[in-house]
Amino acid sequence: MADHSPSESDYLGKRQLNKGAAGWVLLAGLGVAYVVSGDFSGWNLGLAQGGWGGLLIAFLLMGLMYTCMVLGLAELSSTLPTAGAGYGFARRALGPLGGFATGMAILIEYSVAPAAIATFIGGYIESLGLFGITNSWPVYLVAYLVFIGIHCVGVGEALKLMFVITAVAVVALGVFVVGMIPHFDIGKLVEIEPTGAFGANGFLPFGVTGVLAALVYGIWFFLAVEGVPLAAEETANPRRDMPRGIVVAISVLLCSGLAVLILAPGGAGALSMSESESPLPDALRAVYGPGSGLAQFVNYAGLAGLVASFFSIIFAYSRQLFALSRAGYLPRWLSLTTRRNTPALALIIPGTIGFILATTVRDGGLLIDIAVFGATVSYVLLNLSHIVLRIREPELDRGYWTPGGRVTTSIALVLAVVSVVATFLVDVMAASYTLGVFVLALAYFWFYSRHRVVTSAPEEEFASIAEAESKLK
């Protein structure tokens, strides 16, 4: 592997992020912001795949997977705090190919997820009847332009605004929970008629295969929380703040996701929720009437949840693309930063691709399938990275130790492998096409970019130090 980089000071000087912009509270807010849109829309599509029982099992399994994985990432991010995050962890543990594969899988996930969220934002705005909009593409355009623009101003400003928007969304979830509790009816959870599928019954109307298909939507309750470590180079004290932030985030998401999963179909019925584009406001309208002020409030505030995730995942894809480009795995010009230390091109180019996907595909469920495929592939590699580093480098200076060690991330690894398979059950064409894009990216690395790696990039330096130390033993 060759290094064709210019002088280190010149090259890295044009690729600087804003150091020390975030503490653990902002990191926890970032973790919740990544995911909170999953509570407002998208998860309910899993009811049509597995029924309420199937989606509940999927939620519990994926909640276990994410909790175990997050504990592993807390250790990795406190040990190798770089903007490459997942790519950096896998680069150290699995070598250049493993690092690039992980980074590309994450990039697919984070580039497509905002497009899916944009379609849900359009659905919420249409349900409110705002501006007389019946075609949502102008909404997608405005969302991408405004929020990419804010990120270009600076990460400190962006993270603080994200925190405020996320707080509004959390308040809306609290209002929804309080409003739905008096109307909960356990019978409405199992109102979908059983099919002829193997193992089908009132609790699992689509049988065992329905549980597997619902895993994709169980993931949507947590998708992208693993992106918190992408802010490592912009964190005041990553060894201390990263573990705190990401663990607090997953704790909040487990509670909010379970509340929504129980109360929305438990009040309005699983069947109607399985077809809704704005499930939380629709659930409130079902129990309080179409003119419900409570539903209207949650609808408006629910937009904040969708915007929070849209806004924050833009941050995530830009940092992953920035790191891969800075190290030479992708074209280097993508990692150039502005005078405000923001990677403008890494913000704009995936955003353009996402806008095109949102306007042409116009199917949030399909875009979820694509994003989840990239996510699950990266989860396999991330958990494997934690296990490999525990075995190969037990003396590595770690700021946090994962409870349960390799056993914890091994549980997550097994569930991640099952989740990859599940994406093919939901939509074999979407998963196959995404796999094709992933393979093409690996071919680009193998035949071109691996010969042009910049060894002075932080993620590469971590790996080089490890290789040098291993030769001295």
Side-chain angles (χ1 to χ4, degrees):
M1 193 168 58
D3 179 15
H4 299 276
S5 63
S7 68
E8 180 176 335
S9 60
D10 179 61
Y11 184 79
L12 296 180
K14 297 176 181 176
R15 291 162 173 83
Q16 293 292 316
L17 298 174
N18 191 2
K19 310 291 184 183
W24 77 265
V25 175
L26 280 180
L27 291 174
L30 176 63
V32 175
Y34 280 144
V35 190
V36 72
S37 67
D39 289 335
F40 285 94
S41 202
W43 64 269
N44 55 304
L45 301 177
L47 295 168
Q49 298 288 338
W52 186 79
L55 185 56
L56 174 65
I57 294 172
F59 173 87
L60 295 174
L61 288 174
M62 294 301 94
L64 175 62
M65 180 186 77
Y66 272 92
T67 300
C68 291
M69 181 175 70
V70 157
L71 292 173
L73 290 175
E75 177 180 310
L76 291 170
S77 61
S78 71
T79 308
L80 304 168
T82 67
Y87 139 61
F89 309 150
R91 171 65 182 88
R92 176 85 174 234
L94 307 176
L97 179 59
F100 179 79
T102 305
M104 280 307 303
I106 292 170
L107 196 54
I108 290 171
E109 171 194 356
Y110 290 162
S111 297
V112 177
I117 296 168
T119 67
F120 299 138
I121 291 174
Y124 263 64
I125 286 178
E126 286 185 36
S127 72
L128 286 167
L130 294 177
F131 315 116
I133 289 175
T134 56
N135 188 321
S136 294
W137 76 262
V139 175
Y140 311 155
L141 179 61
V142 170
Y144 274 104
L145 288 176
V146 169
F147 295 115
I148 287 176
I150 292 172
H151 275 296
C152 286
V153 171
V155 66
E157 295 80 357
L159 288 177
K160 290 170 185 174
L161 180 57
M162 270 191 279
F163 191 86
V164 172
I165 296 171
T166 303
V168 172
V170 171
V171 169
L173 287 173
V175 169
F176 171 80
V177 168
V178 172
M180 292 300 294
I181 285 175
H183 300 276
F184 175 75
D185 178 356
I186 195 169
K188 291 183 178 180
L189 297 174
V190 291
E191 66 178 18
I192 297 176
E193 291 294 323
T195 64
F198 174 74
N201 53 47
F203 183 68
L204 298 174
F206 301 99
V208 176
T209 56
V211 176
L212 290 173
L215 289 177
V216 169
Y217 301 96
I219 287 172
W220 193 244
F221 281 106
F222 308 101
L223 185 90
V225 69
E226 75 279 2
V228 173
L230 288 161
E233 289 186 29
E234 295 152 288
T235 301
N237 186 344
R239 287 176 65 86
R240 180 196 67 195
D241 294 338
M242 275 293 165
R244 289 183 184 179
I246 197 168
V247 170
V248 169
I250 192 65
S251 301
V252 171
L253 294 167
L254 285 165
C255 295
S256 65
L258 187 59
V260 165
L261 176 58
I262 292 173
L263 292 173
L271 185 60
S272 64
M273 287 293 93
S274 70
E275 302 168 347
S276 173
E277 290 190 0
S278 49
L280 270 58
D282 285 350
L284 289 166
R285 292 186 185 104
V287 299
Y288 288 103
S292 165
L294 199 61
Q296 200 78 341
F297 169 77
V298 170
N299 204 335
Y300 277 105
L303 277 172
L306 295 169
V307 165
S309 292
F310 181 84
F311 191 20
S312 56
I313 298 176
I314 286 174
F315 169 85
Y317 75 56
S318 69
R319 269 46 180 185
Q320 188 66 90
L321 179 55
F322 166 82
L324 287 169
S325 168
R326 179 177 62 180
Y329 289 93
L330 293 175
R332 296 176 188 172
W333 50 267
L334 289 168
S335 57
L336 290 169
T337 52
T338 66
R339 284 180 294 178
R340 290 181 173 271
N341 294 333
T342 57
L345 292 172
L347 286 161
I348 294 168
I349 290 177
T352 302
I353 294 170
F355 171 70
I356 292 170
L357 283 172
T359 52
T360 54
V361 175
R362 302 179 62 81
D363 182 344
L366 176 59
L367 293 169
I368 286 176
D369 296 340
I370 296 170
V372 167
F373 177 83
T376 53
V377 170
S378 75
Y379 299 163
V380 171
L381 296 169
L382 286 170
N383 287 298
L384 185 60
S385 297
H386 178 268
I387 294 166
V388 168
L389 285 176
R390 272 295 186 99
I391 294 171
R392 200 167 65 199
E393 299 189 58
E395 303 303 320
L396 191 63
D397 183 19
R398 292 167 167 87
Y400 173 88
W401 290 81
T402 302
R406 284 179 282 161
V407 173
T408 298
T409 42
S410 293
I411 293 170
L413 175 61
V414 171
L415 289 170
V417 171
V418 173
S419 301
V420 173
V421 175
T423 62
F424 287 90
L425 291 176
V426 174
D427 192 326
V428 66
M429 292 300 293
S432 298
Y433 282 127
T434 312
L435 176 60
V437 171
F438 183 63
V439 170
L440 287 174
L442 295 181
Y444 169 82
F445 164 80
W446 190 255
F447 293 108
Y448 182 78
S449 67
R450 72 187 178 105
H451 303 294
R452 291 164 173 78
V453 170
V454 179
T455 56
S456 58
E459 296 83 4
E460 298 302 308
E461 283 194 336
F462 274 127
S464 298
I465 291 169
E467 291 166 7
E469 288 175 348
S470 67
K471 291 176 182 178
L472 293 174
K473 293 179 180 178

PDB file of all heavy atoms in Angstrom, residues 174-195:
ATOM      1  N   GLY A 174     -43.581  12.607  24.947  1.00  0.00           N
ATOM      2  CA  GLY A 174     -44.177  12.577  26.282  1.00  0.00           C
ATOM      3  C   GLY A 174     -45.659  12.909  26.244  1.00  0.00           C
ATOM      4  O   GLY A 174     -46.474  12.244  26.911  1.00  0.00           O
ATOM      5  N   VAL A 175     -46.027  13.921  25.471  1.00  0.00           N
ATOM      6  CA  VAL A 175     -47.444  14.296  25.322  1.00  0.00           C
ATOM      7  C   VAL A 175     -48.233  13.140  24.705  1.00  0.00           C
ATOM      8  O   VAL A 175     -49.357  12.823  25.132  1.00  0.00           O
ATOM      9  CB  VAL A 175     -47.567  15.568  24.458  1.00  0.00           C
ATOM     10  CG1 VAL A 175     -49.022  15.828  24.062  1.00  0.00           C
ATOM     11  CG2 VAL A 175     -46.983  16.768  25.191  1.00  0.00           C
ATOM     12  N   PHE A 176     -47.663  12.507  23.690  1.00  0.00           N
ATOM     13  CA  PHE A 176     -48.324  11.372  23.047  1.00  0.00           C
ATOM     14  C   PHE A 176     -48.578  10.250  24.045  1.00  0.00           C
ATOM     15  O   PHE A 176     -49.688   9.688  24.108  1.00  0.00           O
ATOM     16  CB  PHE A 176     -47.467  10.849  21.891  1.00  0.00           C
ATOM     17  CG  PHE A 176     -47.962   9.562  21.300  1.00  0.00           C
ATOM     18  CD1 PHE A 176     -49.014   9.554  20.396  1.00  0.00           C
ATOM     19  CD2 PHE A 176     -47.393   8.351  21.679  1.00  0.00           C
ATOM     20  CE1 PHE A 176     -49.492   8.364  19.873  1.00  0.00           C
ATOM     21  CE2 PHE A 176     -47.856   7.156  21.153  1.00  0.00           C
ATOM     22  CZ  PHE A 176     -48.908   7.163  20.252  1.00  0.00           C
ATOM     23  N   VAL A 177     -47.580   9.913  24.841  1.00  0.00           N
ATOM     24  CA  VAL A 177     -47.716   8.829  25.813  1.00  0.00           C
ATOM     25  C   VAL A 177     -48.823   9.138  26.811  1.00  0.00           C
ATOM     26  O   VAL A 177     -49.695   8.302  27.091  1.00  0.00           O
ATOM     27  CB  VAL A 177     -46.372   8.593  26.540  1.00  0.00           C
ATOM     28  CG1 VAL A 177     -46.556   7.686  27.758  1.00  0.00           C
ATOM     29  CG2 VAL A 177     -45.359   7.980  25.582  1.00  0.00           C
ATOM     30  N   VAL A 178     -48.813  10.354  27.362  1.00  0.00           N
ATOM     31  CA  VAL A 178     -49.833  10.749  28.340  1.00  0.00           C
ATOM     32  C   VAL A 178     -51.230  10.710  27.709  1.00  0.00           C
ATOM     33  O   VAL A 178     -52.206  10.257  28.327  1.00  0.00           O
ATOM     34  CB  VAL A 178     -49.527  12.152  28.901  1.00  0.00           C
ATOM     35  CG1 VAL A 178     -50.683  12.654  29.755  1.00  0.00           C
ATOM     36  CG2 VAL A 178     -48.236  12.115  29.721  1.00  0.00           C
ATOM     37  N   GLY A 179     -51.322  11.156  26.460  1.00  0.00           N
ATOM     38  CA  GLY A 179     -52.629  11.193  25.796  1.00  0.00           C
ATOM     39  C   GLY A 179     -53.172   9.828  25.439  1.00  0.00           C
ATOM     40  O   GLY A 179     -54.397   9.619  25.400  1.00  0.00           O
ATOM     41  N   MET A 180     -52.296   8.849  25.203  1.00  0.00           N
ATOM     42  CA  MET A 180     -52.738   7.535  24.744  1.00  0.00           C
ATOM     43  C   MET A 180     -52.982   6.538  25.877  1.00  0.00           C
ATOM     44  O   MET A 180     -53.758   5.586  25.703  1.00  0.00           O
ATOM     45  CB  MET A 180     -51.715   6.945  23.777  1.00  0.00           C
ATOM     46  CG  MET A 180     -51.617   7.672  22.446  1.00  0.00           C
ATOM     47  SD  MET A 180     -53.161   7.696  21.497  1.00  0.00           S
ATOM     48  CE  MET A 180     -53.367   5.951  21.115  1.00  0.00           C
ATOM     49  N   ILE A 181     -52.353   6.727  27.018  1.00  0.00           N
ATOM     50  CA  ILE A 181     -52.485   5.753  28.114  1.00  0.00           C
ATOM     51  C   ILE A 181     -53.952   5.477  28.482  1.00  0.00           C
ATOM     52  O   ILE A 181     -54.345   4.306  28.630  1.00  0.00           O
ATOM     53  CB  ILE A 181     -51.679   6.206  29.347  1.00  0.00           C
ATOM     54  CG1 ILE A 181     -50.180   5.991  29.106  1.00  0.00           C
ATOM     55  CG2 ILE A 181     -52.110   5.440  30.603  1.00  0.00           C
ATOM     56  CD1 ILE A 181     -49.288   6.517  30.222  1.00  0.00           C
ATOM     57  N   PRO A 182     -54.818   6.500  28.604  1.00  0.00           N
ATOM     58  CA  PRO A 182     -56.211   6.202  28.998  1.00  0.00           C
ATOM     59  C   PRO A 182     -56.981   5.393  27.957  1.00  0.00           C
ATOM     60  O   PRO A 182     -58.041   4.833  28.273  1.00  0.00           O
ATOM     61  CB  PRO A 182     -56.833   7.601  29.159  1.00  0.00           C
ATOM     62  CG  PRO A 182     -55.683   8.527  29.331  1.00  0.00           C
ATOM     63  CD  PRO A 182     -54.583   7.943  28.512  1.00  0.00           C
ATOM     64  N   HIS A 183     -56.499   5.335  26.737  1.00  0.00           N
ATOM     65  CA  HIS A 183     -57.235   4.672  25.656  1.00  0.00           C
ATOM     66  C   HIS A 183     -56.609   3.340  25.245  1.00  0.00           C
ATOM     67  O   HIS A 183     -57.014   2.749  24.239  1.00  0.00           O
ATOM     68  CB  HIS A 183     -57.302   5.605  24.444  1.00  0.00           C
ATOM     69  CG  HIS A 183     -57.979   6.896  24.734  1.00  0.00           C
ATOM     70  ND1 HIS A 183     -59.351   7.050  24.696  1.00  0.00           N
ATOM     71  CD2 HIS A 183     -57.469   8.112  25.102  1.00  0.00           C
ATOM     72  CE1 HIS A 183     -59.664   8.301  25.017  1.00  0.00           C
ATOM     73  NE2 HIS A 183     -58.543   8.959  25.261  1.00  0.00           N
ATOM     74  N   PHE A 184     -55.666   2.864  26.038  1.00  0.00           N
ATOM     75  CA  PHE A 184     -55.001   1.612  25.683  1.00  0.00           C
ATOM     76  C   PHE A 184     -55.947   0.432  25.829  1.00  0.00           C
ATOM     77  O   PHE A 184     -56.655   0.286  26.834  1.00  0.00           O
ATOM     78  CB  PHE A 184     -53.773   1.407  26.574  1.00  0.00           C
ATOM     79  CG  PHE A 184     -53.097   0.082  26.353  1.00  0.00           C
ATOM     80  CD1 PHE A 184     -52.316  -0.129  25.225  1.00  0.00           C
ATOM     81  CD2 PHE A 184     -53.247  -0.964  27.274  1.00  0.00           C
ATOM     82  CE1 PHE A 184     -51.696  -1.349  25.004  1.00  0.00           C
ATOM     83  CE2 PHE A 184     -52.625  -2.173  27.063  1.00  0.00           C
ATOM     84  CZ  PHE A 184     -51.849  -2.378  25.926  1.00  0.00           C
ATOM     85  N   ASP A 185     -55.962  -0.418  24.805  1.00  0.00           N
ATOM     86  CA  ASP A 185     -56.793  -1.627  24.787  1.00  0.00           C
ATOM     87  C   ASP A 185     -55.934  -2.763  24.248  1.00  0.00           C
ATOM     88  O   ASP A 185     -55.565  -2.765  23.068  1.00  0.00           O
ATOM     89  CB  ASP A 185     -58.023  -1.409  23.899  1.00  0.00           C
ATOM     90  CG  ASP A 185     -58.915  -2.650  23.808  1.00  0.00           C
ATOM     91  OD1 ASP A 185     -58.545  -3.705  24.360  1.00  0.00           O
ATOM     92  OD2 ASP A 185     -59.973  -2.552  23.169  1.00  0.00           O
ATOM     93  N   ILE A 186     -55.620  -3.729  25.095  1.00  0.00           N
ATOM     94  CA  ILE A 186     -54.706  -4.795  24.692  1.00  0.00           C
ATOM     95  C   ILE A 186     -55.226  -5.588  23.503  1.00  0.00           C
ATOM     96  O   ILE A 186     -54.455  -6.108  22.692  1.00  0.00           O
ATOM     97  CB  ILE A 186     -54.424  -5.734  25.895  1.00  0.00           C
ATOM     98  CG1 ILE A 186     -53.218  -6.614  25.597  1.00  0.00           C
ATOM     99  CG2 ILE A 186     -55.667  -6.565  26.237  1.00  0.00           C
ATOM    100  CD1 ILE A 186     -52.714  -7.377  26.813  1.00  0.00           C
ATOM    101  N   GLY A 187     -56.551  -5.637  23.348  1.00  0.00           N
ATOM    102  CA  GLY A 187     -57.127  -6.377  22.230  1.00  0.00           C
ATOM    103  C   GLY A 187     -56.784  -5.771  20.878  1.00  0.00           C
ATOM    104  O   GLY A 187     -56.708  -6.491  19.869  1.00  0.00           O
ATOM    105  N   LYS A 188     -56.552  -4.448  20.844  1.00  0.00           N
ATOM    106  CA  LYS A 188     -56.241  -3.788  19.567  1.00  0.00           C
ATOM    107  C   LYS A 188     -54.835  -4.130  19.060  1.00  0.00           C
ATOM    108  O   LYS A 188     -54.540  -3.939  17.882  1.00  0.00           O
ATOM    109  CB  LYS A 188     -56.385  -2.275  19.722  1.00  0.00           C
ATOM    110  CG  LYS A 188     -57.833  -1.833  19.916  1.00  0.00           C
ATOM    111  CD  LYS A 188     -57.957  -0.325  19.982  1.00  0.00           C
ATOM    112  CE  LYS A 188     -59.424   0.081  20.117  1.00  0.00           C
ATOM    113  NZ  LYS A 188     -59.587   1.546  20.190  1.00  0.00           N
ATOM    114  N   LEU A 189     -53.998  -4.632  19.949  1.00  0.00           N
ATOM    115  CA  LEU A 189     -52.649  -5.003  19.532  1.00  0.00           C
ATOM    116  C   LEU A 189     -52.654  -6.218  18.603  1.00  0.00           C
ATOM    117  O   LEU A 189     -51.776  -6.370  17.761  1.00  0.00           O
ATOM    118  CB  LEU A 189     -51.778  -5.316  20.756  1.00  0.00           C
ATOM    119  CG  LEU A 189     -51.525  -4.172  21.736  1.00  0.00           C
ATOM    120  CD1 LEU A 189     -50.783  -4.701  22.957  1.00  0.00           C
ATOM    121  CD2 LEU A 189     -50.724  -3.056  21.075  1.00  0.00           C
ATOM    122  N   VAL A 190     -53.649  -7.077  18.776  1.00  0.00           N
ATOM    123  CA  VAL A 190     -53.663  -8.356  18.044  1.00  0.00           C
ATOM    124  C   VAL A 190     -54.889  -8.461  17.134  1.00  0.00           C
ATOM    125  O   VAL A 190     -55.443  -9.538  16.944  1.00  0.00           O
ATOM    126  CB  VAL A 190     -53.605  -9.541  19.037  1.00  0.00           C
ATOM    127  CG1 VAL A 190     -52.251  -9.590  19.709  1.00  0.00           C
ATOM    128  CG2 VAL A 190     -54.706  -9.442  20.088  1.00  0.00           C
ATOM    129  N   GLU A 191     -55.279  -7.350  16.523  1.00  0.00           N
ATOM    130  CA  GLU A 191     -56.478  -7.362  15.682  1.00  0.00           C
ATOM    131  C   GLU A 191     -56.210  -7.818  14.246  1.00  0.00           C
ATOM    132  O   GLU A 191     -57.135  -8.035  13.480  1.00  0.00           O
ATOM    133  CB  GLU A 191     -57.113  -5.976  15.659  1.00  0.00           C
ATOM    134  CG  GLU A 191     -56.270  -4.916  14.975  1.00  0.00           C
ATOM    135  CD  GLU A 191     -56.945  -3.560  14.931  1.00  0.00           C
ATOM    136  OE1 GLU A 191     -57.899  -3.344  15.710  1.00  0.00           O
ATOM    137  OE2 GLU A 191     -56.523  -2.711  14.130  1.00  0.00           O
ATOM    138  N   ILE A 192     -54.945  -7.954  13.839  1.00  0.00           N
ATOM    139  CA  ILE A 192     -54.636  -8.420  12.489  1.00  0.00           C
ATOM    140  C   ILE A 192     -54.908  -9.918  12.406  1.00  0.00           C
ATOM    141  O   ILE A 192     -54.422 -10.703  13.232  1.00  0.00           O
ATOM    142  CB  ILE A 192     -53.164  -8.123  12.112  1.00  0.00           C
ATOM    143  CG1 ILE A 192     -52.924  -6.601  12.092  1.00  0.00           C
ATOM    144  CG2 ILE A 192     -52.805  -8.724  10.763  1.00  0.00           C
ATOM    145  CD1 ILE A 192     -51.496  -6.202  11.822  1.00  0.00           C
ATOM    146  N   GLU A 193     -55.674 -10.331  11.415  1.00  0.00           N
ATOM    147  CA  GLU A 193     -56.061 -11.729  11.268  1.00  0.00           C
ATOM    148  C   GLU A 193     -54.858 -12.606  10.911  1.00  0.00           C
ATOM    149  O   GLU A 193     -54.043 -12.236  10.063  1.00  0.00           O
ATOM    150  CB  GLU A 193     -57.120 -11.875  10.175  1.00  0.00           C
ATOM    151  CG  GLU A 193     -58.476 -11.276  10.531  1.00  0.00           C
ATOM    152  CD  GLU A 193     -59.141 -12.026  11.680  1.00  0.00           C
ATOM    153  OE1 GLU A 193     -59.006 -13.278  11.730  1.00  0.00           O
ATOM    154  OE2 GLU A 193     -59.775 -11.376  12.527  1.00  0.00           O
ATOM    155  N   PRO A 194     -54.741 -13.790  11.556  1.00  0.00           N
ATOM    156  CA  PRO A 194     -53.633 -14.699  11.224  1.00  0.00           C
ATOM    157  C   PRO A 194     -53.704 -15.176   9.769  1.00  0.00           C
ATOM    158  O   PRO A 194     -54.788 -15.375   9.225  1.00  0.00           O
ATOM    159  CB  PRO A 194     -53.843 -15.877  12.191  1.00  0.00           C
ATOM    160  CG  PRO A 194     -54.690 -15.334  13.296  1.00  0.00           C
ATOM    161  CD  PRO A 194     -55.566 -14.286  12.667  1.00  0.00           C
ATOM    162  N   THR A 195     -52.560 -15.330   9.165  1.00  0.00           N
ATOM    163  CA  THR A 195     -52.463 -15.840   7.796  1.00  0.00           C
ATOM    164  C   THR A 195     -52.198 -17.351   7.844  1.00  0.00           C
ATOM    165  O   THR A 195     -52.200 -17.957   8.914  1.00  0.00           O
ATOM    166  CB  THR A 195     -51.320 -15.160   7.039  1.00  0.00           C
ATOM    167  OG1 THR A 195     -50.076 -15.498   7.676  1.00  0.00           O
ATOM    168  CG2 THR A 195     -51.493 -13.642   7.043  1.00  0.00           C
TER     169      THR A 195
END
